[in-house]
């Protein structure tokens, strides 16, 4: 099994790099400590992005396509944040789902990913 090197503190982790690593985790299966770190970072990003996208949704006319797309992204993110898993493959799949949610939120928030 391949192992993913952990970035050193001197290497800032960008959101695209974080998402790439999380998406590839089901194939690579990082060490448990790295899985936990990825989850922590993704949850922090989701916690940062949810209020931004919620504020956008609150300003958009309810029932429009723009509102529904943001509402769905928010619901998916909340579901991913509520999911925890301890099994190696299951944890990696949960990471990938959380990464998908973060990517969607970041796109609506106009972020870098």
């Amino acid at each position: 099994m391949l192992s993913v090197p952990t970035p050193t503190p001197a290497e800032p982790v960008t959101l695209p790099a974080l998402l790439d690593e999380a998406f590839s985790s089901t194939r690579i299966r990082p060490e448990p400590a790295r899985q936990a770190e990825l989850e922590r970072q993704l949850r922090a990003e989701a916690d940062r992005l949810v209020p931004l996208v919620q504020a956008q949704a609150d300003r958009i006319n309810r029932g429009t396509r723009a509102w529904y797309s943001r509402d769905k992204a928010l619901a998916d993110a909340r579901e991913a944040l509520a999911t925890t898993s301890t099994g190696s493959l299951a944890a990696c799949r949960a990471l990938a789902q959380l990464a998908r949610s973060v990517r969607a939120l970041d796109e609506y928030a106009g972020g870098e990913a």
Side-chain angles (χ1 to χ4, degrees):
M1 188 171 355
L2 298 173
S3 100
V4 176
T6 303
T8 62
E11 301 174 34
V13 178
T14 64
L15 184 55
L18 178 64
L19 294 175
D20 286 344
E21 188 176 356
F23 288 137
S24 66
S25 68
T26 55
R27 287 187 332 274
I28 297 172
R29 302 229 186 118
E31 299 292 323
R34 183 63 186 152
Q35 285 180 15
E37 179 60 20
L38 285 171
E39 182 179 7
R40 186 195 64 73
Q41 290 175 338
L42 287 169
R43 285 179 180 277
E45 282 298 319
D47 289 342
R48 179 183 69 82
L49 292 167
V50 164
L52 298 174
V53 177
Q54 183 65 60
Q56 286 179 351
D58 292 343
R59 289 189 304 269
I60 296 172
N61 288 337
R62 188 178 182 92
T64 62
R65 291 178 80 188
W67 180 84
Y68 274 115
S69 62
R70 283 165 178 78
D71 188 58
K72 171 122 174 59
L74 289 164
D76 290 346
R78 289 182 179 117
E79 182 179 336
L81 287 167
T83 302
T84 57
S85 182
T86 55
S88 178
L89 181 57
C92 290
R93 292 181 81 185
L95 275 176
Q97 179 58 41
L98 184 55
R100 279 189 288 280
S101 294
V102 168
R103 181 182 61 194
L105 291 171
D106 187 61
E107 287 172 0
Y108 286 121
E112 63 182 37

